[in-house]
Amino acid sequence: MTTIYDIAKLTGFSPTTVSKVFNGYTDVSERTRRKILQAAQQLDYVPNAHARSLTTKRSWTIGVLFNESSGAGILHPYFGGVIEGFKKVATSKGYDLMFITKDIGGRPSGYLEHCKIRGVDGIVVILPDYADPYFRELIEADIPCVLLDSDSDHASTIYSDNIMGSEIAVDYLYSLGHRSIAHIGGGHSFAGEKRMQGFIEAMQRRELSPRPEFIVQGSYDFTVESGRKAMEQLLQLQGRPTAVFAAGDNLAVGAMIAMREQGISVPEDISVIGFDDIEMAKYLTPALTTIRQNTYGLGSRAANMLIYSIEGHKELQRDMLPVELVVRGSCRPL
């Protein structure tokens, strides 16, 4: 059976350095780490997880809580990029991922109880639900925790610059000559409220007073169906907007479906801009102009933040990633 001494002999590093790599120590260079991991793969070495746990007092497992109510689950467009970025960093540092639910063995429980039973070292929460008392119990406990797309005084947080993204969207539509701009919001979610704030501030900065009837809420989980219903409401108005900024690409897709059903052309009749840059956006007809957020970057940064906390650093961290405009075919100048 291959041991760390075999890897040390093959690579020329000391057994102590090899052990540090498999136990997640940070005082090893990335070049050294890669060489040792490549040698381990070459020799078919598998670390003994139980022995490693006894040595480090960790389970080397991170819990993933994805609180998503639309029914899409891991197919949700926000999830893929985030979890891929998170997984790459976490697994490269020796961690396994475990999905956290409220049920253990068919018995209802809470998130915190699940985390304690499974012995996870920390947890990342994607799309937090503050109305859930079990969620509040979790973030108020002493387990290391990072929240995505949220803000909290009890946990580290990371999110995109939602306000700036909305301002970029409004400024782009304004540059095309649009003055009658509607907004389909993302409900009372963190991202939805920030994107609404950015929309209103950008309109006011351009001395455009947002018409109350031009602001229609979609659902807080940004579903296509809620975008379709919101657009149907806008299309019933006497004076229709010339452009619509949707707080999420799924909402924008729903809006475009509603317009197509009523014989309204995008962008000839109404321009549409979204937010997220989901994979589907570039394949729509017309392709969707949108604000791109770096979901992969959100996930990888969240992993680094969480592992930093797991390693004993107590201070809470906050980070915000920039966004960018992606111009495609769904907007036109007036």
Side-chain angles (χ1 to χ4, degrees):
M1 183 175 67
T2 303
T3 69
I4 63 171
Y5 299 99
D6 298 315
I7 297 172
K9 183 177 180 180
L10 178 62
T11 60
F13 296 113
S14 69
T16 299
T17 300
V18 175
S19 177
K20 282 186 173 183
V21 168
F22 292 113
N23 287 314
Y25 285 81
T26 57
D27 58 344
V28 180
S29 73
E30 189 59 34
R31 181 179 179 185
T32 298
R33 186 184 305 276
R34 282 199 303 269
K35 188 171 182 179
I36 288 172
L37 292 176
Q38 287 169 357
Q41 185 176 19
Q42 179 181 338
L43 295 174
D44 292 327
Y45 173 73
V46 179
N48 186 311
H50 179 65
R52 186 169 64 149
S53 296
L54 292 175
T55 302
T56 62
K57 310 302 182 187
R58 298 186 203 169
S59 69
W60 295 94
T61 303
I62 290 174
V64 179
L65 172 55
F66 184 47
N67 207 332
E68 192 277 313
S69 62
S70 72
I74 61 174
L75 298 178
H76 192 286
Y78 180 79
F79 183 85
V82 168
I83 201 62
E84 183 61 30
F86 190 92
K87 179 183 175 183
K88 185 168 185 179
V89 170
T91 55
S92 73
K93 296 188 177 181
Y95 288 87
D96 292 323
L97 304 186
M98 173 184 294
F99 287 93
I100 299 298
T101 68
K102 294 179 187 176
D103 299 318
I104 303 176
R107 178 179 62 84
S109 65
Y111 299 126
L112 180 59
E113 182 182 1
H114 194 165
C115 288
K116 288 181 176 180
I117 290 174
R118 300 302 186 188
V120 300
D121 296 322
I123 186 164
V124 60
V125 183
I126 304 173
L127 303 181
D129 180 5
Y130 282 92
D132 186 344
Y134 290 109
F135 166 70
R136 290 189 174 276
E137 176 189 46
L138 175 65
I139 65 170
E140 291 173 3
D142 57 0
I143 184 171
C145 188
V146 172
L147 310 182
L148 280 108
D149 235 11
S150 184
D151 201 7
S152 173
D153 294 328
H154 300 286
S156 295
T157 57
I158 181 168
Y159 45 83
S160 296
D161 193 342
N162 295 292
I163 294 176
M164 179 56 68
S166 294
E167 293 186 355
I168 292 171
V170 172
D171 286 347
Y172 177 66
L173 292 172
Y174 188 92
S175 73
L176 296 178
H178 295 279
R179 303 294 183 265
S180 182
I181 304 172
H183 179 55
I184 298 177
H188 295 297
S189 62
F190 173 81
E193 291 179 350
K194 292 297 183 182
R195 292 171 193 179
M196 174 75 75
Q197 178 184 340
F199 169 76
I200 292 173
E201 290 177 357
M203 293 287 282
Q204 292 174 339
R205 179 165 47 81
R206 291 292 190 178
E207 298 184 346
L208 300 174
S209 298
R211 292 171 52 182
E213 66 270 27
F214 275 13
I215 298 177
V216 183
Q217 288 289 4
S219 62
Y220 75 92
D221 47 0
F222 297 79
T223 62
V224 171
E225 180 61 20
S226 71
R228 185 181 68 82
K229 290 180 178 178
M231 192 66 221
E232 288 175 348
Q233 188 173 330
L234 288 170
L235 294 176
Q236 291 172 3
L237 299 174
Q238 288 288 346
R240 292 174 177 172
T242 64
V244 174
F245 164 49
D249 285 352
N250 275 353
L251 297 172
V253 170
M256 293 170 71
I257 290 172
M259 284 187 273
R260 185 176 67 244
E261 289 174 345
Q262 297 196 27
I264 296 169
S265 178
V266 179
E268 287 75 18
D269 298 320
I270 299 177
S271 292
V272 178
I273 184 169
F275 200 121
D276 289 330
D277 195 29
I278 62 175
E279 183 68 18
M280 185 196 311
K282 60 178 175 283
Y283 299 116
L284 298 172
T285 304
L288 182 64
T289 295
T290 188
I291 303 298
R292 173 184 291 158
Q293 61 172 336
N294 183 359
T295 52
Y296 185 91
L298 287 169
S300 58
R301 177 70 182 119
N304 282 313
M305 292 168 69
L306 183 56
I307 292 169
Y308 180 81
S309 296
I310 290 171
E311 291 173 347
H313 301 278
K314 299 299 183 182
E315 68 272 19
L316 297 183
Q317 306 165 78
R318 282 176 172 75
D319 203 356
M320 181 171 66
L321 299 191
V323 295
E324 62 179 317
L325 174 68
V326 179
V327 177
R328 297 194 179 101
S330 63
C331 298
R332 76 169 184 89
L334 289 184

